[in-house]
Structures are given as C-alpha cells and as structure tokens.
Amino acid sequence: MHQVVVSGLGPAGATLLYELASRGYDVVGLERERFPRYKSCGGCISTKIDSIEGLDIEHLVETPVYGATFSYKQSRYVEILSSEPVAYNVKRDLFDNYLVERAKEAGAMVVEGCKVEDIVEESDHIKVICHGGRSFRAGFFACADGAGSLVARKHFSLNPKEFGISYTMEIPVDETDTEKLLGNLFIDFGEVPSGYAWIFPKKGHLSVGMAGESRRCRGRLRKDFEKFLKNHSALAGRPLKEKVHGWMLPVYHSDDHPVVKGRALATGDAAHLVDPFLGEGIYYAMASAQAAARAIIEAIEKNATGFGSYREYLKNELYPEFRALAKLAGLVYTHPRLWYRMVEKEPEIMHRYYDVIRGRIRAEEFYRWVVSKVVRKPWKVIRRWLEDKLLRTG
Ligand SMILES: Cc1cc2nc3c(=O)[nH]c(=O)nc-3n(C[C@H](O)[C@H](O)[C@H](O)COP(=O)(O)OP(=O)(O)OC[C@H]3O[C@@H](n4cnc5c(N)ncnc54)[C@H](O)[C@@H]3O)c2cc1C
C-alpha cells in the first residue's frame, strides 16, 4: 500500500513523482517503456520552463531558440528573430530521462516495463491494475500516461475525436551543416488545414514534423507531410530515408473535460492540456503536474478527495490561456493566407507572440490586440469573418 501511484513518466508523471518524493511522500511511478525512450515531439520547450523551480536543464539544452523563419506553403520566407530566447531545443529522450532520474534521486520508486490498464476505487484506496495481472494499491492515483492513456479514455473522457494528429521525422545531418541553423526554427503555414509544419534544428539532426486537427487532416496529412519534406528550402537535397512517426496531440477543447474522479486525477496530455494553437505541451504538463502534486498533498494531509486546488488552478490559470489560444487558432487556421500577409507586413505581431510563448503576455491580451489590428485594416474577408464569429459567440 503506497500513498500515491502515478501512471506514465513523461514530463507530467516524472514531475509529479519528483514533487511528492522530494517532500517525503511514498510514491511509485509506473511506466510502460524503459528509459531513455523515444517520444515523437519537436522538443522545443518555451522559456516558461524557467519558472519551474529546482530544474537544472542547462546541459540538456541543445540550443536556445531566438525565433523562427516563417513560410507560406514553402515560399515567401520571412525570418523573425528576437534578441533573447523564446524557447530551448532539447532531445526528448534525454530530457525525459533526466526528469525520471531526478525523481528517483528524490526517493521515488520507479517500475519500468509496466503498462497500466485500469483503476478500481475501493473503500479507502485505489487499486491500479497492470498488464499481466500485477496490481498496486495506493491512497491516491495520478493518471499521467499521455495521449494513449487507457485509464484517461475510460475514466476522464480523453477524446481522440478532439485530437490533433501528426507525423515527424528525425533527419541526421552533419553537425557543421546544422550550425548555421541553430537558434532558429522553421514554421510553415498553409500547407495543412488547421495546423502547421516545422523544422526544429538540433545539433546533428533536424526534427521535422507536421500536425493538424484530426477531423480536417485525416487521410491527407501524410501526403501533405511528404510534399513539405520535398519542397522546403532547408531540406532541399537531403536524403529523407528516416522512419516517419505518427502520434496524437490531445489539444485543449473544453473546460468541462473531467480531470478528477474520486481518489484519482489526470494531468498533462491525459487531461487534454496541450495548447490548441501551436501544440505546446511540455511546460503545461510540468506546470499542471506541480499543481496536481500540491492538491494530492492537501488530500493526503486532510484525508479528503476533491482536489479543489487543482481544479481551481486549471480554471483560473490554464483554461483562460487555452481558450484564447483556441480563438487564435480559429482565426489563423481559417485564414492562413491573410494571417501570413499580416505577419509578413508587421513582424511586430510575431515579436509580441514570442512574449506570449515566454509567458510575459496573456494569450487573451494578444488575441484582442490582433483582432483590433484586423478590424482597423481593409481586409474585408477577414473582417467579415470576424463579425460573423463575434455575432455567433455573442
Ligand atoms: C509531433 C509532436 C510534436 C510536439 N512538439 C512539442 C514541442 O516542440 N514542444 C512542446 O512543448 N510540446 C510538444 N508536443 C507536445 C508534448 O510532446 C506533450 O504535450 C508532452 O509530452 C506531454 O507530456 P506528458 O507527460 O503528459 O505525456 P507523455 O510525454 O506522452 O508521457 C506519457 C508517458 O506515459 C507512458 N505510458 C503510456 N501509456 C502507458 C500505460 N498504459 N501505462 C504506463 N505508462 C504509459 C508513455 O510511455 C510515456 O512515457 C508535441 C507533440 C507531438 C505529438
């Protein structure tokens, strides 16, 4: 019998484990894979991560990111770089491994190769059932096993219909070849509906990917991705023989998504805590895990359930941000050509957006600012769209 069991040890689970173990709680982390393991991801972490205390990731940062070279359907390239970092590029296998090791050093027990299949709430504890018949008992349970979570689908309504879908490829390149690309990202709008394509340069390889809303991209994303690989100027002439990975992005879609049930809660991707505009999820997984840890500690100390402080955190901190990012996604992905024209003409728009990514400006404030710019401009199509949208949402 443990105080807490955590399922899944990505950024959310490993952070939760660390937060509890470092305060002396008896916590076990169950992970399906063995570390270090691959995770399909761009590995670009916003500088918001600097606000997470106790992290020492300097040795894991491949390169700070100062901005991006944008393109529209692999043409009309515009480089918009800032004087200070917006994000850090990391290799996810090493980054996630570091988080798990940190949790172990803090005293957490970790069981790898253990797939969690279900939970059953009993009178004063939770039984966690794993593949092969193994089970664990704990006072509380945290579901942090990501987009493929079986428990979140059954108990927290993780909903594949609301996912983004993606393809990625890791292309090895000469280290000197990537040197001139480091510090920059490449982001392409317009090729894929409700999404974008990217190239995130690392030392010795390029993380390349494309993601979009599953309802609008299903059946065509693979072809769009191949077109992007063939046509983008940063990839021209490179042999593209690496494996293509497909994975899901459980983007935010509603405040009503249940994240708490009896003695269990969900966090990170398993709770749909991914930014619906650009798909940022690593920081949100870690920040939500910290909030979840605080709520679990309150529950242990008071022997109560409900996790009120966690629900308040989501309601007051993350959901307002995600709602604004969803509105921004609606604006940009419905009219990518017009959005791109705005960015080309006024790079200041992206400089301000970098401050949203850094956590210095709230997304709602940015969205209102962009809307106020749009309505002052004679771009009639987008203006009509906005008026229509405002009428419909009241
Ligand atoms: C293509 C792509 C690109 C992305 N790029 C970025 C980016 O550049 N920057 C960014 O901030 N975010 C990015 N994201 C989002 C980011 O990857 C996720 O939001 C983040 O990994 C969420 O962390 P997590 O801990 O909640 O879940 P995960 O990182 O998915 O970790 C879940 C863990 O649970 C384990 N697991 C799964 N099932 C079980 C089970 N049944 N039992 C036990 N363990 C299990 C998994 O093996 C895994 O280790 C990207 C996502 C995708 C798909």
PDB file of all heavy atoms in Angstrom, residues 8 10-12 30-33 37 39-44 92 114-116 144-145 166 168 200 247-249 268-269 279-282 285, ligand 1:
ATOM      1  N   GLY A   8       2.641   6.565 -15.970  1.00  0.00           N
ATOM      2  CA  GLY A   8       3.279   7.303 -17.066  1.00  0.00           C
ATOM      3  C   GLY A   8       4.324   8.266 -16.544  1.00  0.00           C
ATOM      4  O   GLY A   8       4.039   9.067 -15.643  1.00  0.00           O
ATOM      5  N   GLY A  10       6.359  10.604 -18.421  1.00  0.00           N
ATOM      6  CA  GLY A  10       6.791  11.702 -19.288  1.00  0.00           C
ATOM      7  C   GLY A  10       6.977  12.933 -18.410  1.00  0.00           C
ATOM      8  O   GLY A  10       7.063  12.832 -17.176  1.00  0.00           O
ATOM      9  N   PRO A  11       7.016  14.139 -18.994  1.00  0.00           N
ATOM     10  CA  PRO A  11       7.218  15.347 -18.184  1.00  0.00           C
ATOM     11  C   PRO A  11       6.185  15.501 -17.060  1.00  0.00           C
ATOM     12  O   PRO A  11       6.538  15.930 -15.956  1.00  0.00           O
ATOM     13  CB  PRO A  11       7.076  16.477 -19.209  1.00  0.00           C
ATOM     14  CG  PRO A  11       7.456  15.843 -20.502  1.00  0.00           C
ATOM     15  CD  PRO A  11       7.007  14.420 -20.431  1.00  0.00           C
ATOM     16  N   ALA A  12       4.925  15.137 -17.314  1.00  0.00           N
ATOM     17  CA  ALA A  12       3.902  15.287 -16.269  1.00  0.00           C
ATOM     18  C   ALA A  12       4.156  14.305 -15.124  1.00  0.00           C
ATOM     19  O   ALA A  12       4.309  14.707 -13.959  1.00  0.00           O
ATOM     20  CB  ALA A  12       2.504  15.081 -16.854  1.00  0.00           C
ATOM     21  N   LEU A  30       4.706   4.177 -12.468  1.00  0.00           N
ATOM     22  CA  LEU A  30       4.647   3.001 -13.345  1.00  0.00           C
ATOM     23  C   LEU A  30       4.760   3.463 -14.789  1.00  0.00           C
ATOM     24  O   LEU A  30       4.014   4.342 -15.221  1.00  0.00           O
ATOM     25  CB  LEU A  30       3.308   2.267 -13.142  1.00  0.00           C
ATOM     26  CG  LEU A  30       2.933   1.949 -11.691  1.00  0.00           C
ATOM     27  CD1 LEU A  30       1.554   1.285 -11.643  1.00  0.00           C
ATOM     28  CD2 LEU A  30       3.994   1.061 -11.043  1.00  0.00           C
ATOM     29  N   GLU A  31       5.695   2.903 -15.530  1.00  0.00           N
ATOM     30  CA  GLU A  31       5.939   3.352 -16.901  1.00  0.00           C
ATOM     31  C   GLU A  31       5.977   2.144 -17.842  1.00  0.00           C
ATOM     32  O   GLU A  31       6.680   1.165 -17.574  1.00  0.00           O
ATOM     33  CB  GLU A  31       7.261   4.143 -16.938  1.00  0.00           C
ATOM     34  CG  GLU A  31       7.852   4.370 -18.295  1.00  0.00           C
ATOM     35  CD  GLU A  31       6.971   5.178 -19.267  1.00  0.00           C
ATOM     36  OE1 GLU A  31       6.422   6.227 -18.888  1.00  0.00           O
ATOM     37  OE2 GLU A  31       6.854   4.732 -20.436  1.00  0.00           O
ATOM     38  N   ARG A  32       5.241   2.264 -18.938  1.00  0.00           N
ATOM     39  CA  ARG A  32       5.150   1.165 -19.920  1.00  0.00           C
ATOM     40  C   ARG A  32       6.505   0.876 -20.589  1.00  0.00           C
ATOM     41  O   ARG A  32       6.875  -0.259 -20.806  1.00  0.00           O
ATOM     42  CB  ARG A  32       4.123   1.581 -20.973  1.00  0.00           C
ATOM     43  CG  ARG A  32       3.785   0.558 -21.991  1.00  0.00           C
ATOM     44  CD  ARG A  32       2.806   1.110 -22.991  1.00  0.00           C
ATOM     45  NE  ARG A  32       3.337   2.293 -23.669  1.00  0.00           N
ATOM     46  CZ  ARG A  32       2.662   3.024 -24.535  1.00  0.00           C
ATOM     47  NH1 ARG A  32       1.415   2.708 -24.827  1.00  0.00           N
ATOM     48  NH2 ARG A  32       3.192   4.064 -25.125  1.00  0.00           N
ATOM     49  N   GLU A  33       7.249   1.951 -20.914  1.00  0.00           N
ATOM     50  CA  GLU A  33       8.519   1.789 -21.642  1.00  0.00           C
ATOM     51  C   GLU A  33       9.697   1.665 -20.668  1.00  0.00           C
ATOM     52  O   GLU A  33       9.513   1.697 -19.462  1.00  0.00           O
ATOM     53  CB  GLU A  33       8.770   3.014 -22.530  1.00  0.00           C
ATOM     54  CG  GLU A  33       7.643   3.373 -23.461  1.00  0.00           C
ATOM     55  CD  GLU A  33       7.521   2.422 -24.631  1.00  0.00           C
ATOM     56  OE1 GLU A  33       8.529   1.797 -24.995  1.00  0.00           O
ATOM     57  OE2 GLU A  33       6.397   2.305 -25.168  1.00  0.00           O
ATOM     58  N   ARG A  37      13.647   6.553 -23.606  1.00  0.00           N
ATOM     59  CA  ARG A  37      12.768   6.068 -24.675  1.00  0.00           C
ATOM     60  C   ARG A  37      12.453   7.231 -25.637  1.00  0.00           C
ATOM     61  O   ARG A  37      12.506   8.390 -25.260  1.00  0.00           O
ATOM     62  CB  ARG A  37      11.487   5.449 -24.109  1.00  0.00           C
ATOM     63  CG  ARG A  37      10.668   6.372 -23.198  1.00  0.00           C
ATOM     64  CD  ARG A  37       9.516   7.029 -23.896  1.00  0.00           C
ATOM     65  NE  ARG A  37       8.736   7.901 -23.038  1.00  0.00           N
ATOM     66  CZ  ARG A  37       8.996   9.164 -22.843  1.00  0.00           C
ATOM     67  NH1 ARG A  37      10.053   9.747 -23.388  1.00  0.00           N
ATOM     68  NH2 ARG A  37       8.205   9.915 -22.103  1.00  0.00           N
ATOM     69  N   LYS A  39      10.222   9.776 -27.842  1.00  0.00           N
ATOM     70  CA  LYS A  39       8.873  10.364 -27.810  1.00  0.00           C
ATOM     71  C   LYS A  39       8.764  11.250 -29.044  1.00  0.00           C
ATOM     72  O   LYS A  39       9.605  12.132 -29.245  1.00  0.00           O
ATOM     73  CB  LYS A  39       8.702  11.187 -26.521  1.00  0.00           C
ATOM     74  CG  LYS A  39       7.547  12.194 -26.554  1.00  0.00           C
ATOM     75  CD  LYS A  39       6.198  11.543 -26.381  1.00  0.00           C
ATOM     76  CE  LYS A  39       5.037  12.526 -26.308  1.00  0.00           C
ATOM     77  NZ  LYS A  39       4.602  13.085 -27.587  1.00  0.00           N
ATOM     78  N   SER A  40       7.756  11.015 -29.844  1.00  0.00           N
ATOM     79  CA  SER A  40       7.542  11.836 -31.035  1.00  0.00           C
ATOM     80  C   SER A  40       7.218  13.264 -30.589  1.00  0.00           C
ATOM     81  O   SER A  40       6.176  13.505 -29.983  1.00  0.00           O
ATOM     82  CB  SER A  40       6.371  11.240 -31.828  1.00  0.00           C
ATOM     83  OG  SER A  40       6.158  11.994 -32.988  1.00  0.00           O
ATOM     84  N   CYS A  41       8.117  14.218 -30.885  1.00  0.00           N
ATOM     85  CA  CYS A  41       7.967  15.578 -30.349  1.00  0.00           C
ATOM     86  C   CYS A  41       8.986  16.496 -31.021  1.00  0.00           C
ATOM     87  O   CYS A  41      10.049  16.033 -31.447  1.00  0.00           O
ATOM     88  CB  CYS A  41       8.232  15.533 -28.832  1.00  0.00           C
ATOM     89  SG  CYS A  41       7.983  17.118 -28.007  1.00  0.00           S
ATOM     90  N   GLY A  42       8.651  17.789 -31.112  1.00  0.00           N
ATOM     91  CA  GLY A  42       9.620  18.749 -31.637  1.00  0.00           C
ATOM     92  C   GLY A  42      10.712  19.053 -30.619  1.00  0.00           C
ATOM     93  O   GLY A  42      11.791  19.536 -30.964  1.00  0.00           O
ATOM     94  N   GLY A  43      10.429  18.810 -29.350  1.00  0.00           N
ATOM     95  CA  GLY A  43      11.429  19.034 -28.299  1.00  0.00           C
ATOM     96  C   GLY A  43      11.779  20.496 -28.096  1.00  0.00           C
ATOM     97  O   GLY A  43      12.877  20.829 -27.657  1.00  0.00           O
ATOM     98  N   CYS A  44      10.830  21.377 -28.389  1.00  0.00           N
ATOM     99  CA  CYS A  44      11.087  22.811 -28.234  1.00  0.00           C
ATOM    100  C   CYS A  44      10.291  23.299 -27.003  1.00  0.00           C
ATOM    101  O   CYS A  44       9.066  23.313 -27.026  1.00  0.00           O
ATOM    102  CB  CYS A  44      10.630  23.526 -29.509  1.00  0.00           C
ATOM    103  SG  CYS A  44      10.989  25.268 -29.468  1.00  0.00           S
ATOM    104  N   ARG A  92      14.131  14.836 -26.560  1.00  0.00           N
ATOM    105  CA  ARG A  92      13.157  14.365 -25.578  1.00  0.00           C
ATOM    106  C   ARG A  92      13.609  13.117 -24.829  1.00  0.00           C
ATOM    107  O   ARG A  92      13.307  12.968 -23.644  1.00  0.00           O
ATOM    108  CB  ARG A  92      11.810  14.100 -26.265  1.00  0.00           C
ATOM    109  CG  ARG A  92      10.911  15.300 -26.407  1.00  0.00           C
ATOM    110  CD  ARG A  92      10.468  15.901 -25.094  1.00  0.00           C
ATOM    111  NE  ARG A  92       9.699  15.016 -24.249  1.00  0.00           N
ATOM    112  CZ  ARG A  92       8.388  14.912 -24.269  1.00  0.00           C
ATOM    113  NH1 ARG A  92       7.690  15.635 -25.109  1.00  0.00           N
ATOM    114  NH2 ARG A  92       7.748  14.121 -23.441  1.00  0.00           N
ATOM    115  N   CYS A 114       5.975  -1.499 -17.244  1.00  0.00           N
ATOM    116  CA  CYS A 114       4.727  -1.828 -16.537  1.00  0.00           C
ATOM    117  C   CYS A 114       3.582  -1.003 -17.125  1.00  0.00           C
ATOM    118  O   CYS A 114       3.525   0.214 -16.936  1.00  0.00           O
ATOM    119  CB  CYS A 114       4.920  -1.515 -15.051  1.00  0.00           C
ATOM    120  SG  CYS A 114       3.476  -1.856 -14.059  1.00  0.00           S
ATOM    121  N   LYS A 115       2.692  -1.673 -17.858  1.00  0.00           N
ATOM    122  CA  LYS A 115       1.608  -0.964 -18.547  1.00  0.00           C
ATOM    123  C   LYS A 115       0.347  -0.945 -17.683  1.00  0.00           C
ATOM    124  O   LYS A 115      -0.190  -2.009 -17.324  1.00  0.00           O
ATOM    125  CB  LYS A 115       1.325  -1.677 -19.874  1.00  0.00           C
ATOM    126  CG  LYS A 115       0.227  -1.048 -20.692  1.00  0.00           C
ATOM    127  CD  LYS A 115       0.037  -1.823 -21.978  1.00  0.00           C
ATOM    128  CE  LYS A 115      -1.148  -1.304 -22.748  1.00  0.00           C
ATOM    129  NZ  LYS A 115      -1.511  -2.212 -23.837  1.00  0.00           N
ATOM    130  N   VAL A 116      -0.108   0.250 -17.360  1.00  0.00           N
ATOM    131  CA  VAL A 116      -1.321   0.381 -16.534  1.00  0.00           C
ATOM    132  C   VAL A 116      -2.549   0.223 -17.427  1.00  0.00           C
ATOM    133  O   VAL A 116      -2.652   0.863 -18.475  1.00  0.00           O
ATOM    134  CB  VAL A 116      -1.340   1.756 -15.822  1.00  0.00           C
ATOM    135  CG1 VAL A 116      -2.664   1.975 -15.091  1.00  0.00           C
ATOM    136  CG2 VAL A 116      -0.169   1.868 -14.861  1.00  0.00           C
ATOM    137  N   ALA A 144      -1.022  10.062 -15.726  1.00  0.00           N
ATOM    138  CA  ALA A 144      -0.143  10.968 -16.493  1.00  0.00           C
ATOM    139  C   ALA A 144       0.443  10.214 -17.678  1.00  0.00           C
ATOM    140  O   ALA A 144       1.561  10.479 -18.090  1.00  0.00           O
ATOM    141  CB  ALA A 144       0.961  11.505 -15.580  1.00  0.00           C
ATOM    142  N   ASP A 145      -0.345   9.262 -18.214  1.00  0.00           N
ATOM    143  CA  ASP A 145       0.253   8.424 -19.260  1.00  0.00           C
ATOM    144  C   ASP A 145      -0.090   8.865 -20.676  1.00  0.00           C
ATOM    145  O   ASP A 145      -0.056   8.070 -21.620  1.00  0.00           O
ATOM    146  CB  ASP A 145       0.019   6.923 -19.004  1.00  0.00           C
ATOM    147  CG  ASP A 145      -1.399   6.587 -18.636  1.00  0.00           C
ATOM    148  OD1 ASP A 145      -2.281   7.411 -18.917  1.00  0.00           O
ATOM    149  OD2 ASP A 145      -1.628   5.509 -18.067  1.00  0.00           O
ATOM    150  N   SER A 166      -0.303  13.959 -36.068  1.00  0.00           N
ATOM    151  CA  SER A 166       0.998  14.478 -36.517  1.00  0.00           C
ATOM    152  C   SER A 166       1.849  13.392 -37.154  1.00  0.00           C
ATOM    153  O   SER A 166       1.651  12.197 -36.898  1.00  0.00           O
ATOM    154  CB  SER A 166       1.755  15.034 -35.309  1.00  0.00           C
ATOM    155  OG  SER A 166       2.063  13.979 -34.417  1.00  0.00           O
ATOM    156  N   THR A 168       6.196  12.918 -37.770  1.00  0.00           N
ATOM    157  CA  THR A 168       7.518  13.522 -37.530  1.00  0.00           C
ATOM    158  C   THR A 168       8.611  12.645 -38.132  1.00  0.00           C
ATOM    159  O   THR A 168       8.408  11.444 -38.359  1.00  0.00           O
ATOM    160  CB  THR A 168       7.818  13.681 -36.025  1.00  0.00           C
ATOM    161  OG1 THR A 168       7.674  12.406 -35.387  1.00  0.00           O
ATOM    162  CG2 THR A 168       6.909  14.675 -35.364  1.00  0.00           C
ATOM    163  N   PHE A 200      12.790  21.853 -36.544  1.00  0.00           N
ATOM    164  CA  PHE A 200      13.472  22.344 -35.351  1.00  0.00           C
ATOM    165  C   PHE A 200      14.912  21.804 -35.392  1.00  0.00           C
ATOM    166  O   PHE A 200      15.142  20.604 -35.148  1.00  0.00           O
ATOM    167  CB  PHE A 200      12.758  21.872 -34.065  1.00  0.00           C
ATOM    168  CG  PHE A 200      11.380  22.466 -33.855  1.00  0.00           C
ATOM    169  CD1 PHE A 200      10.570  22.005 -32.818  1.00  0.00           C
ATOM    170  CD2 PHE A 200      10.879  23.481 -34.663  1.00  0.00           C
ATOM    171  CE1 PHE A 200       9.290  22.542 -32.599  1.00  0.00           C
ATOM    172  CE2 PHE A 200       9.612  24.021 -34.463  1.00  0.00           C
ATOM    173  CZ  PHE A 200       8.815  23.546 -33.433  1.00  0.00           C
ATOM    174  N   TRP A 247       1.831  10.399 -34.327  1.00  0.00           N
ATOM    175  CA  TRP A 247       1.386  10.440 -32.920  1.00  0.00           C
ATOM    176  C   TRP A 247       0.247  11.463 -32.773  1.00  0.00           C
ATOM    177  O   TRP A 247      -0.061  12.191 -33.730  1.00  0.00           O
ATOM    178  CB  TRP A 247       2.547  10.740 -31.966  1.00  0.00           C
ATOM    179  CG  TRP A 247       2.239  10.414 -30.519  1.00  0.00           C
ATOM    180  CD1 TRP A 247       2.296  11.273 -29.467  1.00  0.00           C
ATOM    181  CD2 TRP A 247       1.794   9.156 -29.982  1.00  0.00           C
ATOM    182  NE1 TRP A 247       1.932  10.627 -28.305  1.00  0.00           N
ATOM    183  CE2 TRP A 247       1.613   9.333 -28.592  1.00  0.00           C
ATOM    184  CE3 TRP A 247       1.521   7.898 -30.534  1.00  0.00           C
ATOM    185  CZ2 TRP A 247       1.175   8.297 -27.751  1.00  0.00           C
ATOM    186  CZ3 TRP A 247       1.083   6.882 -29.688  1.00  0.00           C
ATOM    187  CH2 TRP A 247       0.925   7.081 -28.320  1.00  0.00           C
ATOM    188  N   MET A 248      -0.348  11.501 -31.588  1.00  0.00           N
ATOM    189  CA  MET A 248      -1.539  12.339 -31.370  1.00  0.00           C
ATOM    190  C   MET A 248      -1.228  13.492 -30.422  1.00  0.00           C
ATOM    191  O   MET A 248      -0.372  13.372 -29.562  1.00  0.00           O
ATOM    192  CB  MET A 248      -2.650  11.488 -30.734  1.00  0.00           C
ATOM    193  CG  MET A 248      -2.942  10.223 -31.504  1.00  0.00           C
ATOM    194  SD  MET A 248      -3.600   8.925 -30.449  1.00  0.00           S
ATOM    195  CE  MET A 248      -2.208   8.309 -29.570  1.00  0.00           C
ATOM    196  N   LEU A 249      -1.985  14.578 -30.580  1.00  0.00           N
ATOM    197  CA  LEU A 249      -1.867  15.732 -29.667  1.00  0.00           C
ATOM    198  C   LEU A 249      -3.232  15.999 -29.032  1.00  0.00           C
ATOM    199  O   LEU A 249      -4.136  16.520 -29.705  1.00  0.00           O
ATOM    200  CB  LEU A 249      -1.462  16.979 -30.443  1.00  0.00           C
ATOM    201  CG  LEU A 249       0.003  17.095 -30.825  1.00  0.00           C
ATOM    202  CD1 LEU A 249       0.136  17.153 -32.330  1.00  0.00           C
ATOM    203  CD2 LEU A 249       0.584  18.343 -30.221  1.00  0.00           C
ATOM    204  N   GLY A 268      -1.365  16.632 -17.541  1.00  0.00           N
ATOM    205  CA  GLY A 268      -0.614  16.595 -18.801  1.00  0.00           C
ATOM    206  C   GLY A 268      -1.495  16.235 -19.982  1.00  0.00           C
ATOM    207  O   GLY A 268      -2.680  16.574 -20.031  1.00  0.00           O
ATOM    208  N   ASP A 269      -0.922  15.528 -20.950  1.00  0.00           N
ATOM    209  CA  ASP A 269      -1.678  15.157 -22.159  1.00  0.00           C
ATOM    210  C   ASP A 269      -2.923  14.339 -21.827  1.00  0.00           C
ATOM    211  O   ASP A 269      -3.939  14.441 -22.521  1.00  0.00           O
ATOM    212  CB  ASP A 269      -0.787  14.319 -23.094  1.00  0.00           C
ATOM    213  CG  ASP A 269       0.071  15.186 -24.010  1.00  0.00           C
ATOM    214  OD1 ASP A 269       0.262  16.378 -23.699  1.00  0.00           O
ATOM    215  OD2 ASP A 269       0.559  14.672 -25.036  1.00  0.00           O
ATOM    216  N   GLY A 279       0.443  23.692 -30.265  1.00  0.00           N
ATOM    217  CA  GLY A 279       0.676  22.322 -29.777  1.00  0.00           C
ATOM    218  C   GLY A 279       1.730  22.230 -28.697  1.00  0.00           C
ATOM    219  O   GLY A 279       2.310  21.168 -28.487  1.00  0.00           O
ATOM    220  N   GLU A 280       1.992  23.340 -27.998  1.00  0.00           N
ATOM    221  CA  GLU A 280       2.957  23.273 -26.893  1.00  0.00           C
ATOM    222  C   GLU A 280       2.353  22.474 -25.740  1.00  0.00           C
ATOM    223  O   GLU A 280       1.227  22.757 -25.307  1.00  0.00           O
ATOM    224  CB  GLU A 280       3.298  24.698 -26.404  1.00  0.00           C
ATOM    225  CG  GLU A 280       4.212  24.652 -25.202  1.00  0.00           C
ATOM    226  CD  GLU A 280       4.527  26.018 -24.587  1.00  0.00           C
ATOM    227  OE1 GLU A 280       4.089  27.054 -25.130  1.00  0.00           O
ATOM    228  OE2 GLU A 280       5.206  26.029 -23.548  1.00  0.00           O
ATOM    229  N   GLY A 281       3.111  21.497 -25.220  1.00  0.00           N
ATOM    230  CA  GLY A 281       2.550  20.679 -24.137  1.00  0.00           C
ATOM    231  C   GLY A 281       3.517  20.365 -23.012  1.00  0.00           C
ATOM    232  O   GLY A 281       3.094  19.984 -21.920  1.00  0.00           O
ATOM    233  N   ILE A 282       4.834  20.533 -23.263  1.00  0.00           N
ATOM    234  CA  ILE A 282       5.796  20.076 -22.238  1.00  0.00           C
ATOM    235  C   ILE A 282       5.691  20.944 -20.979  1.00  0.00           C
ATOM    236  O   ILE A 282       5.545  20.432 -19.865  1.00  0.00           O
ATOM    237  CB  ILE A 282       7.241  20.103 -22.788  1.00  0.00           C
ATOM    238  CG1 ILE A 282       7.353  19.182 -24.018  1.00  0.00           C
ATOM    239  CG2 ILE A 282       8.237  19.676 -21.715  1.00  0.00           C
ATOM    240  CD1 ILE A 282       8.647  19.329 -24.805  1.00  0.00           C
ATOM    241  N   ALA A 285       2.444  20.298 -19.190  1.00  0.00           N
ATOM    242  CA  ALA A 285       2.442  19.008 -18.488  1.00  0.00           C
ATOM    243  C   ALA A 285       3.132  19.164 -17.130  1.00  0.00           C
ATOM    244  O   ALA A 285       2.635  18.694 -16.104  1.00  0.00           O
ATOM    245  CB  ALA A 285       3.159  17.959 -19.335  1.00  0.00           C
TER     246      ALA A 285
HETATM  247  C1  LIG B   1       4.596  15.563 -33.047  1.00  0.00           C
HETATM  248  C2  LIG B   1       4.553  16.303 -31.741  1.00  0.00           C
HETATM  249  C3  LIG B   1       5.385  17.401 -31.553  1.00  0.00           C
HETATM  250  C4  LIG B   1       5.355  18.095 -30.341  1.00  0.00           C
HETATM  251  N1  LIG B   1       6.222  19.120 -30.167  1.00  0.00           N
HETATM  252  C5  LIG B   1       6.228  19.795 -28.992  1.00  0.00           C
HETATM  253  C6  LIG B   1       7.172  20.816 -28.758  1.00  0.00           C
HETATM  254  O1  LIG B   1       8.046  21.097 -29.586  1.00  0.00           O
HETATM  255  N2  LIG B   1       7.098  21.491 -27.581  1.00  0.00           N
HETATM  256  C7  LIG B   1       6.177  21.190 -26.632  1.00  0.00           C
HETATM  257  O2  LIG B   1       6.131  21.865 -25.579  1.00  0.00           O
HETATM  258  N3  LIG B   1       5.294  20.181 -26.814  1.00  0.00           N
HETATM  259  C8  LIG B   1       5.302  19.480 -27.955  1.00  0.00           C
HETATM  260  N4  LIG B   1       4.440  18.430 -28.133  1.00  0.00           N
HETATM  261  C9  LIG B   1       3.533  18.056 -27.028  1.00  0.00           C
HETATM  262  C10 LIG B   1       4.304  17.254 -25.975  1.00  0.00           C
HETATM  263  O3  LIG B   1       5.014  16.201 -26.590  1.00  0.00           O
HETATM  264  C11 LIG B   1       3.342  16.670 -24.930  1.00  0.00           C
HETATM  265  O4  LIG B   1       2.396  17.633 -24.585  1.00  0.00           O
HETATM  266  C12 LIG B   1       4.088  16.215 -23.672  1.00  0.00           C
HETATM  267  O5  LIG B   1       4.953  15.137 -23.975  1.00  0.00           O
HETATM  268  C13 LIG B   1       3.085  15.796 -22.601  1.00  0.00           C
HETATM  269  O6  LIG B   1       3.744  15.190 -21.512  1.00  0.00           O
HETATM  270  P1  LIG B   1       3.000  14.040 -20.674  1.00  0.00           P
HETATM  271  O7  LIG B   1       3.943  13.661 -19.603  1.00  0.00           O
HETATM  272  O8  LIG B   1       1.632  14.469 -20.335  1.00  0.00           O
HETATM  273  O9  LIG B   1       2.825  12.829 -21.714  1.00  0.00           O
HETATM  274  P2  LIG B   1       3.932  11.957 -22.476  1.00  0.00           P
HETATM  275  O10 LIG B   1       5.145  12.764 -22.707  1.00  0.00           O
HETATM  276  O11 LIG B   1       3.257  11.367 -23.649  1.00  0.00           O
HETATM  277  O12 LIG B   1       4.327  10.818 -21.456  1.00  0.00           O
HETATM  278  C14 LIG B   1       3.426   9.778 -21.163  1.00  0.00           C
HETATM  279  C15 LIG B   1       4.238   8.581 -20.646  1.00  0.00           C
HETATM  280  O13 LIG B   1       3.317   7.552 -20.273  1.00  0.00           O
HETATM  281  C16 LIG B   1       3.785   6.304 -20.771  1.00  0.00           C
HETATM  282  N5  LIG B   1       2.610   5.441 -20.946  1.00  0.00           N
HETATM  283  C17 LIG B   1       1.711   5.454 -21.953  1.00  0.00           C
HETATM  284  N6  LIG B   1       0.742   4.549 -21.724  1.00  0.00           N
HETATM  285  C18 LIG B   1       1.042   3.948 -20.558  1.00  0.00           C
HETATM  286  C19 LIG B   1       0.408   2.946 -19.771  1.00  0.00           C
HETATM  287  N7  LIG B   1      -0.740   2.370 -20.175  1.00  0.00           N
HETATM  288  N8  LIG B   1       0.971   2.574 -18.596  1.00  0.00           N
HETATM  289  C20 LIG B   1       2.137   3.154 -18.172  1.00  0.00           C
HETATM  290  N9  LIG B   1       2.776   4.103 -18.875  1.00  0.00           N
HETATM  291  C21 LIG B   1       2.238   4.509 -20.046  1.00  0.00           C
HETATM  292  C22 LIG B   1       4.497   6.658 -22.058  1.00  0.00           C
HETATM  293  O14 LIG B   1       5.427   5.661 -22.416  1.00  0.00           O
HETATM  294  C23 LIG B   1       5.159   7.977 -21.693  1.00  0.00           C
HETATM  295  O15 LIG B   1       6.433   7.799 -21.130  1.00  0.00           O
HETATM  296  C24 LIG B   1       4.451  17.695 -29.316  1.00  0.00           C
HETATM  297  C25 LIG B   1       3.621  16.591 -29.515  1.00  0.00           C
HETATM  298  C26 LIG B   1       3.685  15.888 -30.699  1.00  0.00           C
HETATM  299  C27 LIG B   1       2.814  14.662 -30.896  1.00  0.00           C
END
